Amino acid sequence: MTIVKKSLVLWVVGLIILSLGLSSFFMKQNEKIKLTVSAASSMSSSLKEIKMRFEAEHPEIESYYNFGGTGTLRRQLEQGAPSDVFLAASKRDFDALSDQGHFLQSKPLLQNRLVLVGLDREGDAFTTESVLQSDGRLAIGTPGAVPAGTYAKQALERLGSWEALTDQGRFVYAKDARHVVQLVEQGMVDYGVVYQSDTLNVNVPLHIIELDADLHQPIYYFVGQVTERRASQRFYDFLLESETTDLLQEYGFQSVPADRKQGDV
């Protein structure tokens, strides 16, 4: 092979290597940063809109949600499941994760209310008393695994109805609060106990009765930053912005009192 041919071959090989290198560089430049958020299922509707707003401000980041009952999400995180930001509907589970050192920083984010729901059938009387004294099936989240179910159990115990309803076999246990709503919507059960925020995006008319807040522990939602990634910090900060909390209130949540935003609740 002549010197000219060798030079030409080396030039072509060099050009190919340079082309592959530039291609790889530009692919990495266009590759989005993936962010994983573990969140209570009762926040699913609101967080889908938050995802659109956040990604519009941060087009380099693509967020993925892992929705579920807070108790289930807690166990996943404890077992090493990947998560950058954690949103909980249970103080007990959140405090346990915090005590284990899972959060770089955390704050109370929202409040919610507990309500009793049933299909709005014409002529039906719908009161707490009529529901508890009926023979209709009542769906709640599984206590211990689903915060809404734990709060429901507390309320029903204080109303003096838990044992009777259990003995009568009237409970249907659901995997999360959204599942309870679906069971009511589909007519699979007669009644359900859910968060007020879960009642805003239903496809059928419902009877809704707010349960006295004194019947159960206060319902707070918490946010914790799990990883040190810049994307995690940005999403955590975004959730705490006033515009975001205003949006969350449109989905039936309530703001945390100013005197409790900085400390324990």
Side-chain angles (χ1 to χ4, degrees):
M1 184 181 290
T2 65
I3 294 176
V4 174
K5 286 184 176 179
K6 284 183 178 179
S7 298
L8 181 60
V9 170
L10 290 173
W11 182 82
V12 171
V13 171
L15 186 62
I16 292 172
I17 292 172
L18 178 61
S19 174
L20 290 172
L22 287 172
S23 175
S24 176
F25 171 78
F26 285 116
M27 283 179 67
K28 288 183 178 179
Q29 289 294 101
N30 293 326
E31 188 176 322
K32 289 182 179 291
I33 300 166
K34 294 182 179 180
L35 179 77
T36 302
V37 179
S38 297
S41 62
S42 51
M43 297 188 70
S44 58
S45 296
S46 57
L47 285 176
K48 288 172 184 176
E49 183 167 351
I50 285 174
K51 171 184 169 71
M52 291 188 292
R53 295 193 182 193
F54 176 74
E55 292 179 0
E57 286 191 21
H58 302 281
E60 76 282 7
I61 301 174
E62 188 168 6
S63 52
Y64 295 87
Y65 290 127
N66 173 31
F67 291 114
T70 299
T72 300
L73 297 175
R74 167 192 166 183
R75 288 190 290 276
Q76 290 175 358
L77 191 61
E78 289 173 331
Q79 293 166 9
S83 183
D84 295 297
V85 178
F86 193 91
L87 287 155
S90 163
K91 186 179 190 305
R92 183 192 65 180
D93 291 308
F94 194 81
D95 284 349
L97 290 171
S98 182
D99 291 343
Q100 294 167 23
H102 284 282
F103 303 129
L104 300 174
Q105 56 181 332
S106 61
K107 282 188 177 182
L109 180 65
L110 302 162
Q111 293 186 96
N112 214 333
R113 297 189 177 100
L114 202 65
V115 296
L116 179 64
V117 300
L119 289 178
D120 186 357
R121 296 188 177 95
E122 188 176 351
D124 280 358
F126 192 83
T127 64
T128 302
E129 184 178 4
S130 68
V131 169
L132 297 179
Q133 292 182 356
S134 73
D135 58 0
R137 303 180 79 196
L138 175 64
I140 64 171
T142 304
V146 181
T150 301
Y151 296 128
K153 181 179 179 181
Q154 291 172 0
L156 292 169
E157 284 178 335
R158 292 183 183 178
L159 287 169
S161 301
W162 177 261
E163 288 188 9
L165 293 172
T166 302
D167 292 341
Q168 295 164 14
R170 289 182 54 194
F171 286 121
V172 174
Y173 296 109
K175 63 181 180 179
D176 52 48
R178 292 298 304 164
H179 186 205
V180 174
V181 174
Q182 291 168 2
L183 290 172
V184 175
E185 279 187 301
Q186 295 166 7
M188 303 297 290
V189 297
D190 301 284
Y191 313 108
V193 180
V194 295
Y195 297 124
Q196 178 177 284
S197 58
D198 290 316
T199 66
L200 298 187
N201 294 297
V202 296
N203 300 315
V204 295
L206 294 177
H207 286 298
I208 300 173
I209 297 175
E210 183 178 334
L211 295 175
D212 192 328
D214 291 334
L215 293 173
H216 55 79
Q217 293 176 337
I219 301 173
Y220 281 96
Y221 286 67
F222 301 84
V223 57
Q225 181 184 345
V226 181
T227 63
E228 296 180 351
R229 302 173 66 208
R230 185 177 298 178
S232 307
Q233 178 72 60
R234 287 179 174 172
F235 191 81
Y236 177 88
D237 291 340
F238 185 82
L239 288 173
L240 295 173
E241 291 177 1
S242 59
E243 292 84 357
T244 304
T245 54
D246 288 345
L247 170 63
L248 288 166
Q249 289 180 57
E250 294 177 12
Y251 281 85
F253 298 97
Q254 295 81 47
S255 62
V256 175
D259 62 337
R260 296 188 177 182
K261 286 184 178 180
Q262 302 302 322
D264 292 335
V265 297

